[in-house]
Amino acid sequence: MLKIHNTLTGRKELFEPLVSGTVRMYVCGVTVYDECHIGHARSAFVFDVVRRYLEHSGFSVTFVKNFTDVDDKIIKRANELGKPWQEITATYIDAYYRDMGRLGIKPATVEPKATEHMAEIIGLVQVLLTKGAAYQVNGDVYFQVERYGSYGRLSKRKLDDMQAGARVEVDERKRHPMDFALWKGAKSGEPAWPSPWGPGRPGWHIECSAMSMKHLGETFDIHGGGADLIFPHHENEIAQSCAATGKEFARYWLHNGFVQINQEKMSKSLGNFFTIREIFEKWRGHWSGESFQNDLLTAEVLRYFLLATHYRSPLDFSDIGLEEARNTLNGFYGLFQRLEESAGKEEQGDVRIQPLLERFGDVFGQAMDDDFNTPVAIAEFQRLRSEVNKLLGIGLSRSARVDALGAFRRFGEVLGLFQLKKWQFNVCLKPVPMTGEAHLRAEAVIVRGSQALTDEEIERQLADRLEARKRKDFAKADAIREALEERGIIIEDRPDGTSRWKR
RNA sequence: GGCGCCGUACCCAAGUGGCUAAGGGAGCAGUCUGCAAAACUGCGAUGCGGCGGUUCGAACCCGCCCGGCGCCUCCA
């Protein structure tokens, strides 16, 4: 039984979708005026896992994630760069797909754009005007918050309380300071669409109401986004949607916590944010081998790191945190490699593998059912890793090993983890510094990695080393091992005298 | 001024009224090994920011205090 923490009630609630067996969810995507940062990555990972787990649990999920592609910030950026605003949005939509692809985020079922829903948006504004929930001032249309009795329900604030500390210059034309724009009349040179109120563009909040209703219906199951969207964005969405339809809007509201840097919110004004692209560049030097693989490794480390903290908690982003995630993953992939080896016919551990895997399936489900508790789910993976390692020490047959590996792959897929074919051992112990001598050293490792040895060459070296060890020429054996290590190849000797290697 | 969050071992991080406070990383010691590496075993919070209170019983509930943060304005 899945329980979800609902921001609307502040409690964990049993999740029961409107239509049994199906889930309709909407997540606020990005405003495409700049590159995505780690905060976007966290949100993307969180709702990716929510979606994956719902599907794993047997629900048919319709997942809508929008692009805000018309907005004041986009106009501002376009003016700064002297480019058409469409060029800005196109650029950053491309960047978004590039980043999300690298991160391994499954695309949403529908990815609507505000600019492609003008008819729906205008229609919704008209309904609100007709119902007296909105009013027109020159070319603008505002939503009248005092006409919606439950305003503040989501963010748990009262209109009166907010006025007290408001630091905004009050627009004289508004009837209430918290009234917000549904439609903004265009000044010259601004993007504009024709409307009954003159040329203009939608306000920020109305697009999400219009698009979610179009693609999911007037009432749907889950609405999500970052915690910073609770107010005013989601509060306003609820107000205008409920005012328009008279029905319940989204039933469960999920919000992920912030990513912080050194205990502070990551923000552009503090200058302490990292883009997703920067993370990939910085971590390239952790890996050797083919560069296309490096992105997969970095994405897995990042995903593991972010999912190791509960989605509602604040999370401090740090290189050390990523390194710990890397170290742990290294242990998992070491086990996977051993499970795949063909050697070993013993099977004393076999009788214990099925109960172990069954128990794992249960506790994994319990953890995820408890408001998507990925840290506990991951802890159970770690426990399983340890248990399987022990059984491997006792002896597992081929089929038992296949079963064990299958469990890691199958349940790992729900979190988006453990899907790599090959893990590449790190050759750098620190992230690549952006400057200085250490940077050059790290670059040298990358170059060595790019001139990676072929499997055949490595196998030949291993044969030489095996020969040397048989002759008890350990100096030579160690020299071969060190030479390979220089090039990012790690050797592990097995008890029977043969060796396994990994990059 | 209003609303809210966080503080668990060297680090990360679950747990939110009741068995010995999960799990991982790092460290140390040991087993194995020609040596390594990996794996395994052992060690590691008499205590969960502090002080009171409620309770048979609290890291978990209540109060106060200390420290840190967020929202109320664009923000994942």
Side-chain angles (χ1 to χ4, degrees):
Chain A
M1 297 297 260
L2 173 62
K3 285 201 280 189
I4 297 181
H5 176 92
N6 189 348
T7 308
L8 209 50
T9 57
R11 282 197 292 269
K12 279 184 202 172
E13 298 172 352
L14 195 61
F15 176 69
E16 293 177 289
L18 210 55
V19 177
S20 167
T22 71
V23 177
R24 286 171 287 170
M25 64 184 277
Y26 186 94
V27 171
C28 289
V30 294
T31 301
V32 280
Y33 74 107
D34 207 346
E35 300 238 342
C36 292
H37 55 236
I38 309 168
H40 295 109
R42 184 178 193 193
S43 191
F45 278 129
V46 164
F47 291 103
D48 187 53
V49 168
V50 167
R51 183 260 193 96
R52 286 168 186 255
Y53 185 63
L54 289 168
E55 288 177 345
H56 170 83
S57 302
F59 291 106
S60 162
V61 179
T62 305
F63 178 26
V64 180
K65 190 167 167 186
N66 72 294
F67 286 108
T68 297
D69 62 343
V70 53
D71 167 272
D72 292 355
K73 293 190 292 295
I74 295 168
I75 296 170
K76 182 163 173 264
R77 174 57 66 95
N79 290 340
E80 283 167 4
L81 299 178
K83 289 180 177 171
W85 63 273
Q86 293 94 330
E87 198 178 314
I88 303 296
T89 57
T91 298
Y92 292 114
I93 287 171
D94 285 350
Y96 171 89
Y97 280 120
R98 178 202 65 209
D99 288 342
M100 295 301 141
R102 284 172 116 179
L103 293 175
I105 306 294
K106 288 173 78 172
T109 320
V110 187
E111 300 181 329
K113 298 183 180 77
T115 53
E116 292 171 359
H117 292 74
M118 284 302 157
E120 289 83 356
I121 290 168
I122 290 168
L124 194 55
V125 175
Q126 270 178 316
V127 170
L128 288 167
L129 278 167
T130 307
K131 294 203 168 183
Y135 56 94
Q136 211 185 131
V137 180
N138 302 326
D140 298 341
V141 179
Y142 289 99
F143 183 85
Q144 199 168 357
V145 291
E146 287 170 307
R147 292 298 299 273
Y148 178 67
S150 303
Y151 194 79
R153 185 174 157 223
L154 182 73
S155 56
K156 316 271 187 289
R157 19 185 132 211
K158 300 189 186 88
L159 278 174
D160 296 343
D161 294 341
M162 286 188 280
Q163 290 177 70
R167 294 178 267 159
V168 235
E169 75 274 25
V170 178
D171 187 334
E172 295 296 323
R173 304 175 309 167
K174 287 190 194 175
R175 295 182 189 170
H176 187 282
M178 295 310 294
D179 287 352
F180 56 90
L182 296 171
W183 188 261
K184 296 180 173 186
K187 302 193 192 83
S188 75
E190 290 182 347
W193 286 260
S195 83
W197 322 286
R201 63 180 185 277
W204 177 32
H205 318 294
I206 195 69
E207 59 173 79
C208 284
S209 290
M211 289 189 281
S212 58
M213 285 185 201
K214 176 178 181 187
H215 296 286
L216 297 173
E218 292 178 339
T219 303
F220 54 95
D221 299 303
I222 294 175
H223 193 130
D228 48 352
L229 295 179
I230 295 172
F231 190 89
H233 186 54
H234 288 163
E235 192 70 61
N236 291 352
E237 271 189 60
I238 292 175
Q240 67 202 3
S241 301
C242 293
T245 65
K247 295 177 188 164
E248 190 177 18
F249 184 47
R251 303 169 62 239
Y252 299 87
W253 289 81
L254 273 73
H255 294 95
N256 64 273
F258 287 119
V259 173
Q260 307 181 327
I261 308 285
N262 297 324
Q263 318 289 352
E264 276 185 323
K265 180 184 174 180
M266 186 176 69
S267 76
K268 296 199 173 173
S269 50
L270 291 168
N272 62 351
F273 73 100
F274 296 97
T275 64
I276 294 169
R277 186 218 292 262
E278 283 169 343
I279 301 300
F280 278 106
E281 284 171 6
K282 190 171 182 181
W283 273 72
R284 258 189 338 139
H286 272 263
W287 324 108
S288 63
E290 308 89 5
S291 63
F292 77 90
Q293 268 268 27
N294 294 355
D295 278 2
L296 296 175
L297 300 167
T298 303
E300 177 127 358
V301 168
L302 199 55
R303 182 183 278 264
Y304 188 97
F305 171 69
L306 293 174
L307 295 180
T309 297
H310 187 82
Y311 77 90
R312 282 190 283 116
S313 300
L315 180 156
D316 215 57
F317 183 81
S318 68
D319 288 328
I320 290 172
L322 290 180
E323 284 169 33
E324 288 188 359
R326 187 269 322 276
N327 290 345
T328 309
L329 281 167
N330 206 42
F332 278 107
Y333 278 93
L335 172 61
F336 301 162
Q337 185 176 15
R338 273 169 268 129
L339 287 173
E340 279 173 342
E341 286 175 357
S342 53
K345 321 161 273 300
E346 294 182 281
E347 51 192 53
Q348 286 92 317
D350 279 24
V351 290
R352 286 165 58 190
I353 202 79
Q354 287 311 329
L356 188 64
L357 298 182
E358 253 170 59
R359 184 197 157 277
F360 173 78
D362 290 345
V363 293
F364 177 85
Q366 282 164 22
M368 293 300 286
D369 272 350
D370 184 14
D371 194 28
F372 309 104
N373 198 331
T374 54
V376 169
I378 283 175
E380 293 301 339
F381 267 119
Q382 290 164 338
R383 213 190 299 269
L384 182 66
R385 179 187 71 177
S386 170
E387 293 299 322
V388 173
N389 263 325
K390 281 177 216 167
L391 295 186
L392 214 44
I394 297 171
L396 286 177
S397 68
R398 176 84 198 150
S399 78
R401 283 181 282 123
V402 166
D403 288 349
L405 187 59
F408 279 104
R409 298 269 195 227
R410 193 168 63 255
F411 289 101
E413 216 238 324
V414 178
L415 301 182
L417 296 170
F418 310 142
Q419 302 303 303
L420 299 181
K421 290 271 185 294
K422 239 200 275 182
W423 181 257
Q424 293 178 308
F425 195 83
N426 58 296
V427 288
C428 290
L429 296 176
K430 298 277 182 213
V432 182
M434 294 316 241
T435 54
E437 195 194 330
H439 171 77
L440 295 175
R441 251 198 329 270
E443 283 298 318
V445 171
I446 294 168
V447 171
R448 279 205 302 278
S450 71
Q451 300 164 342
L453 296 166
T454 64
D455 290 4
E456 290 70 31
E457 284 170 313
I458 294 166
E459 295 291 350
R460 199 161 56 238
Q461 301 255 32
L462 283 188
D464 287 351
R465 180 163 172 273
L466 181 60
E467 189 59 35
R469 290 175 72 208
K470 276 181 181 161
R471 292 197 318 267
K472 303 260 190 261
D473 183 357
F474 296 120
K476 185 181 180 191
D478 291 350
I480 292 172
R481 182 166 62 198
E482 278 159 33
L484 285 171
E485 196 168 336
E486 272 289 296
R487 303 188 65 173
I489 309 300
I490 303 296
I491 291 173
E492 290 176 12
D493 294 334
R494 299 192 187 96
D496 66 1
T498 61
S499 307
R500 72 171 69 86
W501 61 273
K502 56 189 179 183
R503 292 184 195 274

